[in-house]
Amino acid sequence: MVSRAAISGGLIASVLILVLFYAKNTTFFFQNKFFIEPVNVSVNEQGIQVLRMELAQCERKMLLGQRYIRKPALQFITPWLAPILWDGTYDLKILNNQFKDKRIGLFVFAVKKYIRFLPPFLESAERYFMVGYSVNYYVFTDKVGEVQRPKLGNGRILNLLEVEADKRWQDISMKRMQILVNLTNERLRDEIDYLVCADVDMVFNDHVGVEILGNLVATLHPGFFLSEPMHFPYERRPISEAYVPLGQGDFYYMAAFYGGTVQEIYKLSSACCSGISVDKKNNIEALWQEESHLNKYLVYNKPTKVLSPEYIWDTNLPHGDLVKKKRFLAVHKDHEEVRN
C-alpha cells in the first residue's frame, strides 16, 4: 500500500512542475474575479502564490484521504471561475487599496429572545469585521429600548430600526427578505456600496475584511461542503417556488452570511420574497424557509465570489481540521428555548 507521505510528496511534486511550467510559458494576470480591477504581477510572484494555494489545497485533500480528492469545495475556484476564499488565496494589501473608499453595511435581525445575542455579535464585529473601514450597522429589532450600545470605532454607525416580531420563528426568518427589499430599494442606495447580511446568533472570531466583498457573495454551508449535490437539502417539491431539480446546483449555501452590492442584494431579496409570497398563497413553506429560496436563486444566478466554511463554522461539526481559520462562529444554544 502506498503511504500517505508518498502520495503527499507526489502531489507536491506535481504542483511544483505545474507552477514551473506556467512560470516559463505564461504571463499571468489576476482578473476581476479575484480583484476589482486586473492586477499585473510578476511571473515569480504569481508562481509563488499559485504554489501556496495548490499546496494548501493538497493538504486539505490529504486530510480527507484519496477517495475525496475531487471535492469541488476544496478548490480555490468554482467551475464558473469565481474564487472560493480560503486563507492564503488573496492578497489583502491589494484588496485594501482597491476597496479603501467603499462604504459597507452589516444587516442583522435581532427579535424576541435573539436580542440576547446582539451584544456579543456587535462587540465581536467591532473587533474583527472590516476593521479600519466605515461600517453602517442596520439592526432590526422589536426591542429597540433594550439594545446595549457598544463602543464603536471611528466612522462606524449603529442604526436601530424597529420591526414587529412574528409569532413563528419561520415567519421571522422569511420576513428578513421583505425587509431587505424595502431597505435596499429605498435607503441603502445613497448610504453604502456593499451590504453583508448575517445571523445574529454568531460571533466574529477572526479577521473578516474586504476580501469578502463582491457583486454577489455566498458562503458554503459548513454542514454540506463535502456532500455530493444529490444530498444537498434543496427544496425538492416542484410545487414550491424554491424547487431545485435533481442534477441542478453546484454548492449548498447557508443564509447566515451572504452579501453583495446593494443592487445585487435587492435583486436577490426581491426574487426570494416573491417566491416566499407565491408559496404562502399556495399554502406551502419551503423546507428551509428563506435559505431554500436563496439557494434556488444562486443555482441560476451564480455568485461572483464564494466563501469557504472559514466564514461560517460550528465547532460541533466534523472536519474542523480542514478549516484553519474559523472566522465566524455559531453560538451554542438551545434552539427550542430561544425560538419559543
Side-chain angles (χ1 to χ4, degrees):
M1 180 179 292
V2 181
S3 69
R4 174 171 292 189
I7 296 171
S8 180
L11 285 171
I12 293 172
S14 299
V15 171
L16 287 170
I17 292 170
L18 177 65
V19 171
L20 290 173
F21 172 81
Y22 278 128
K24 183 178 180 180
N25 296 284
T26 309
T27 299
F28 284 96
F29 293 87
F30 276 122
Q31 298 298 326
N32 61 357
K33 293 292 183 181
F34 287 89
F35 304 107
I36 290 295
E37 298 174 356
V39 178
N40 189 3
V41 297
S42 72
V43 170
N44 288 339
E45 290 172 343
Q46 178 63 58
I48 290 171
Q49 186 168 2
V50 170
L51 175 60
R52 286 173 177 167
M53 291 190 291
E54 288 285 0
L55 290 177
Q57 178 189 2
C58 288
E59 180 186 5
R60 288 190 293 271
K61 290 176 179 177
M62 289 304 299
L63 286 169
L64 281 174
Q66 275 187 288
R67 65 191 184 94
Y68 293 100
I69 202 71
R70 299 182 67 184
K71 288 295 183 186
L74 299 181
Q75 313 294 328
F76 52 86
I77 194 166
T78 69
W80 60 94
L81 303 183
I84 302 176
L85 261 63
W86 292 89
D87 186 47
T89 61
Y90 52 86
D91 189 323
L92 194 56
K93 291 182 180 179
I94 293 174
L95 295 175
N96 277 328
N97 183 58
Q98 292 178 337
F99 285 101
K100 62 183 178 181
D101 297 322
K102 298 302 180 182
R103 303 166 299 172
I104 303 159
L106 182 57
F107 169 90
V108 65
F109 238 59
V111 298
K112 301 176 79 171
K113 293 181 181 179
Y114 279 82
I115 191 71
R116 72 179 66 165
F117 301 114
L118 185 59
F121 174 89
L122 292 174
E123 289 166 8
S124 67
E126 281 298 293
R127 185 176 180 184
Y128 293 115
F129 180 77
M130 302 292 171
V131 175
Y133 285 83
S134 296
V135 173
N136 279 11
Y137 294 102
Y138 299 96
V139 177
F140 282 82
T141 179
D142 59 334
K143 302 178 185 296
V144 172
E146 298 181 19
V147 174
Q148 303 173 30
R149 291 178 175 269
K151 183 178 180 180
L152 301 178
N154 292 333
R156 298 168 79 96
I157 301 170
L158 177 60
N159 299 282
L160 296 177
L161 304 161
E162 192 160 9
V163 64
E164 183 179 349
D166 295 284
K167 292 182 178 180
R168 298 172 64 245
W169 68 266
Q170 293 93 338
D171 293 325
I172 293 172
S173 178
M174 290 186 288
K175 190 173 188 175
R176 291 187 296 186
M177 286 300 178
Q178 181 61 66
I179 296 294
L180 271 175
V181 172
N182 298 338
L183 189 66
T184 52
N185 187 45
E186 298 170 1
R187 174 173 176 174
L188 297 192
R189 294 177 187 274
D190 298 324
E191 293 187 0
I192 60 173
D193 301 297
Y194 294 92
L195 182 65
V196 178
C197 306
D199 277 4
V200 73
D201 53 341
M202 308 279 294
V203 290
F204 293 95
N205 186 62
D206 206 323
H207 164 87
V208 176
V210 294
E211 76 277 1
I212 73 168
L213 299 181
N215 286 344
L216 183 59
V217 181
T219 308
L220 298 175
H221 194 300
F224 297 97
F225 77 106
L226 296 176
S227 299
E228 297 298 332
M230 65 179 296
H231 299 306
F232 292 160
Y234 290 141
E235 174 55 71
R236 298 299 191 184
R237 296 170 295 175
I239 191 174
S240 172
E241 289 294 300
Y243 169 61
V244 176
L246 285 171
Q248 297 292 312
D250 307 278
F251 303 106
Y252 187 79
Y253 306 102
M254 194 168 184
F257 201 62
Y258 61 95
T261 62
V262 172
Q263 181 181 8
E264 288 300 322
I265 295 300
Y266 171 72
K267 291 194 292 187
L268 179 150
S269 57
S270 295
C272 292
C273 190
S274 176
I276 290 168
S277 178
V278 171
D279 276 3
K280 193 170 185 178
K281 290 178 181 177
N282 292 331
N283 197 31
I284 189 171
E285 184 176 285
L287 178 64
W288 291 108
Q289 294 81 45
E290 92 282 11
E291 185 170 277
S292 295
H293 290 276
L294 178 140
N295 271 277
K296 162 69 177 296
Y297 182 84
L298 294 173
V299 166
Y300 303 107
N301 300 270
K302 305 295 188 190
T304 58
K305 186 175 289 184
V306 175
L307 307 183
S308 74
E310 291 180 7
Y311 292 90
I312 296 180
W313 191 251
D314 187 322
T315 54
N316 288 329
L317 290 171
H319 304 300
D321 52 347
L322 300 177
V323 183
K324 303 302 183 183
K325 295 275 190 177
K326 297 173 177 62
R327 304 176 188 273
F328 195 39
L329 285 173
V331 175
H332 294 165
K333 56 195 170 294
D334 184 334
H335 289 274
E336 291 302 318
E337 189 272 331
V338 295
R339 288 172 176 175
N340 295 321

